[in-house]
């Protein structure tokens, strides 16, 4: 369904159920150059288990028009505006990678919009290599390869997929390659530049779940664990997966989110 | 500036490993044959979630099976696609693709140079279900463009036509398809991903008869349908099966559920569920046994074919040889550009002496097996006009590049000298 956020239509997948603002809301925020569809299984599961689910397409991604936001802070402002536009008061935020940074920053600067945080595949800071940024700046297919190969566990293409018949790396590459020109670079550059004050992270009050992949090649497990140690009310869950946990380990992620949301 | 991507496994490695982790239950290194119709549901909530696609997993082997999934994921990896569905046969894969994209009133533009079974489906059977096909010469992109109507939903051709051995100009036809907001589906049975990756050339969907080179042993019937995940169904606006709510699955809009695998979701959740032409686990295991050596076999097939083509082209009893390796073949340059390692272990030729000479030739062969198949480890021969293409009239035969004297060979893995010896003896016999 579509909302109007900061003057533009904003699409959100509701998990196969009509959106009911009376239910506790869960807003899913995707990563760089991706869209709502990475959350397919977790979003659909929670929508059928008592939550009002909104898996957004960030501005300039997927089905949402508008200019790509070029800083994590601007993304966080947009997420806060989205929660307001959806008339849910506040929401449980579930973010992946860049989306996790946006959710984190939303909890720092718009805490009244955040019921809880689930940060999947995150590190703060989130440095992006020079070669990766340069390839993305040119919209080079090499950048699509970098994101899809490094974005999964090492040699993921040689392993069985958690989703029968789906090539994890191939599907991810196709999705990244469909992003509009310039989007991947803008997203990666925003991740690279994000540097919140250390004390702002220690001041986060929202109940927080950090989900870290033991085989994550982009935001290493130890970085997720380290961040969980800095957020006062954070719990850490480790998954045997790479960076793309929403699709590499959807069943395990659903279990972690369910426990987190049950409080 | 040039950018180099990360190191990814080579196709040889994918052919051996992709889609398979050592069995989590037993540690088995070989792909286990999960010979089961169904799967125990651990609890009521998980059961409901699996049926409703809230969790991924296996429910019933018509929809998915762990052994079949290895083949699907391996083929998707080899083709560079988003995913795949394995089917009971190559014909089932073609039917699944078409039935997922269109219903009554749909129209297909197809190469006229097709396997007889595909021609039967498009020309005789699908019109009964309200789907029409216009056949056009494979080599004329303008003819394809002219044949497209408002209701056209698919372009279809074989990467290398069987038996005429013409080479489909996949990049040019992909452009025609995209200009008209419809996908290009190619049958890559003859080329296989070992010789060329159709999705990288621009095709949107790929079907295979897994019976042929993918298996290489000629012991099973099977098919595979691969989706590149790059076609924008929503932007096209011509595919309500993928972009409008489907009553048959809780009003699901497949293109919302999955941006890159909307087509595969519908094909699995409707096509496999309702038409039921799924692949058996034992079949998937046997195809996988062959697939592991695809990258070793295809160069040998192609090299031996070059020897045979050279021999036949110089033989006085042969009026004409059809194979893109010959400089005189109209697709010679295209084949070299698209398939630099060679494109076909299938070739056709015209015998001097027409139909009667053809009969004597086939009966005099002893190493070549006279049968209706291609892509076996064993070399094969057939007379298309009286067998695989016998339902086509002379005009349709001519359009498909077949004459009453055309003989088709599929070159196997025997020593090429032995094949040439067998052909030489039979050619002498044909002229007596």
């Amino acid at each position: 369904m579509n909302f109007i956020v900061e003057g533009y239509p904003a699409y959100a997948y509701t998990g196969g159920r009509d959106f009911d603002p009376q239910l506790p809301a869960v807003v899913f925020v995707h990563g760089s150059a991706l869209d709502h569809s990475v959350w397919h299984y977790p979003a659909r599961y929670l929508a059928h288990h008592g939550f009002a689910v909104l898996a957004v397409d960030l501005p300039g991604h997927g089905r949402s028009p508008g200019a790509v936001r070029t800083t994590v802070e601007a993304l966080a402002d947009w997420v806060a505006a989205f929660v307001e536009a959806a008339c849910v008061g506040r929401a449980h935020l579930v973010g992946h990678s860049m989306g996790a940074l946006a959710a984190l920053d939303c909890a720092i600067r718009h805490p009244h919009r955040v019921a809880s945080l689930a940060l999947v595949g995150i590190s703060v800071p989130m440095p992006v290599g020079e070669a990766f940024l340069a390839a993305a700046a040119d919209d080079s297919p090499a950048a699509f390869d970098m994101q899809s190969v490094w974005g999964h566990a090492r040699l993921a293409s040689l392993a069985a997929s958690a989703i029968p018949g789906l090539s994890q790396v191939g599907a991810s590459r196709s999705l990244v390659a469909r992003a509009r020109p310039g989007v991947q670079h803008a997203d990666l550059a925003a991740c690279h530049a994000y540097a919140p004050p250390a004390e702002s992270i220690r001041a986060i009050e929202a109940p927080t779940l950090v989900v870290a992949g033991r085989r994550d090649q982009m935001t290493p497990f130890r970085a997720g664990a380290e961040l969980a140690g800095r957020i006062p009310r954070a719990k850490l869950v480790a998954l045997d997966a790479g960076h793309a946990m929403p699709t590499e380990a959807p069943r395990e992620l659903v279990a972690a989110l369910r426990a987190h949301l049950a409080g | 500036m040039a950018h180099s991507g990360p190191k990814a496994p080579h196709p040889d490695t994918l052919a051996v490993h992709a889609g398979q982790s050592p069995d989590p239950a037993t540690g088995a290194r070989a792909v286990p044959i999960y010979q089961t119709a169904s799967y125990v549901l651990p609890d009521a909530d998980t059961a409901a979630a699996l049926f409703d696609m809230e969790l991924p997993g296996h429910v019933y082997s018509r929809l998915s099976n762990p052994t079949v999934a290895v083949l699907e994921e391996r083929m998707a990896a080899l083709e560079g696609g988003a995913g795949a569905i394995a089917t009971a046969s190559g014909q089932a894969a073609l039917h699944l693709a078409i039935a997922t994209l269109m219903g009554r009133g749909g129209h297909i533009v197809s190469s006229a140079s097709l396997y007889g079974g595909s021609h039967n489906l498009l020309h005789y059977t699908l019109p009964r279900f309200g789907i029409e096909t216009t056949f056009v010469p494979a080599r004329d992109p303008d003819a394809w463009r002219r044949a497209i109507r408002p209701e056209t939903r698919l372009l279809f051709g074989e990467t290398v036509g069987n038996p005429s051995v013409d080479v489909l100009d996949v990049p040019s036809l992909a452009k025609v398809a995209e200009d008209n907001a419809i996908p290009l589906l190619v049958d890559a049975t003859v080329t296989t991903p070992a010789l060329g990756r159709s999705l990288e050339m621009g095709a949107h969907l790929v079907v295979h008869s897994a019976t042929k080179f993918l298996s290489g042993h000629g012991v099973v019937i099977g098919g595979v349908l691969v989706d590149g995940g790059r076609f924008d169904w929503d932007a096209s606006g011509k595919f309500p099966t993928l972009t409008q709510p489907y009553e048959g699955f809780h009003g699901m809009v497949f293109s919302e559920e999955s941006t890159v695998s909307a087509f595969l979701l519908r094909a699995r959740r409707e096509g496999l569920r309702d038409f039921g032409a799924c692949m058996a686990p034992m079949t998937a295991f046997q195809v996988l046994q062959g697939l592991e050596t695809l990258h070793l076999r295809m160069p040998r097939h192609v090299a031996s074919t070059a020897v045979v083509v050279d021999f036949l082209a110089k033989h006085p009893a042969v009026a004409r040889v059809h194979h893109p390796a010959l400089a005189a073949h109209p697709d010679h340059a295209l084949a070299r550009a698209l398939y630099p390692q060679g494109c076909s272990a299938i070739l056709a030729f015209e015998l001097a002496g027409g139909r009667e000479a053809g009969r004597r030739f086939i009966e005099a062969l002893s190493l070549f097996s006279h049968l209706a198949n291609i892509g076996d480890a064993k070399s094969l021969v057939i007379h298309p006009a009286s067998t695989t293409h016998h339902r086509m009239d002379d005009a349709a035969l001519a359009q498909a590049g077949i004459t009453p004297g055309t003989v088709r060979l599929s070159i196997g893995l025997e020593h090429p000298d032995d094949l040439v010896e067998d052909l030489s003896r039979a050619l002498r016999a044909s002229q007596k």
Side-chain angles (χ1 to χ4, degrees), chain B residues 312 318 320-322 347-351 361 405-407 409 427:
Chain B
L312 291 174
V318 175
R320 198 170 165 209
V321 180
H322 305 280
L347 67 113
F349 67 96
E350 315 289 335
L351 264 177
F361 169 75
T406 300
V407 173
L409 301 180
L427 285 169

Side-chain angles (χ1 to χ4, degrees), chain A residues 35-262:
Chain A
D35 71 10
H36 71 277
S37 63
V38 298
W39 297 112
H40 178 197
Y41 288 102
R44 204 171 164 81
Y45 184 92
L46 293 179
H48 288 78
H49 287 80
F51 294 92
V53 164
L54 296 164
V56 302
D57 282 351
L58 291 167
H61 297 71
R63 292 161 178 251
S64 292
V68 170
R69 304 303 191 261
T70 55
T71 64
V72 168
E73 289 83 353
L75 285 166
D77 291 345
W78 187 91
V79 170
F82 178 88
V83 172
E84 183 182 3
C87 299
V88 292
R90 57 190 207 142
H92 302 281
L93 299 185
V94 182
H96 172 231
S97 195
M98 176 186 78
L101 293 182
L104 178 84
D105 198 68
C106 198
I108 291 171
R109 295 189 303 109
H110 305 280
H112 61 293
R113 294 290 175 206
V114 182
S116 77
L117 276 181
L119 309 171
V120 184
I122 189 170
S123 66
V124 181
M126 195 180 282
V128 179
E130 207 172 297
F132 192 5
L133 283 169
D138 289 347
D139 288 309
S140 164
F144 311 155
D145 289 333
M146 291 176 194
Q147 181 161 342
S148 56
V149 172
W150 295 333
H152 291 80
R154 187 171 174 274
L155 297 177
S157 61
L158 305 185
S161 167
I163 304 168
L166 193 82
S167 165
Q168 293 276 340
V169 175
S172 166
R173 191 189 187 285
S174 296
L175 187 57
V176 173
R178 288 171 69 138
R180 298 171 182 79
V183 166
Q184 187 191 25
H185 179 260
D187 288 351
L188 294 174
C191 294
H192 185 71
Y194 183 58
E199 61 275 16
S200 68
I201 290 177
R202 284 194 295 272
I204 292 174
E205 293 182 357
T208 299
L209 170 71
V210 175
V211 185
R214 290 205 182 276
R215 294 186 286 151
D216 190 329
Q217 302 189 87
M218 279 188 159
T219 53
F221 174 80
R222 64 178 181 280
E226 183 272 334
L227 178 68
R230 282 194 277 154
I231 300 174
R233 299 176 64 192
K235 285 184 184 167
L236 176 71
V237 167
L239 299 186
D240 181 25
H243 188 61
M245 285 169 270
T247 47
E248 283 186 273
R251 292 179 79 140
E252 295 79 2
L253 180 59
V254 163
L257 290 176
R258 206 175 172 187
H260 165 65
L261 292 169

Side-chain angles (χ1 to χ4, degrees), chain B residues 168-193:
Chain B
L168 200 69
D169 187 348
V170 175
S172 295
L173 292 179
K175 172 87 170 53
V176 174
E178 282 171 15
D179 288 348
N180 290 277
I182 51 178
L184 170 65
L185 166 69
V186 299
D187 180 337
T189 298
V190 171
T191 46
T192 81

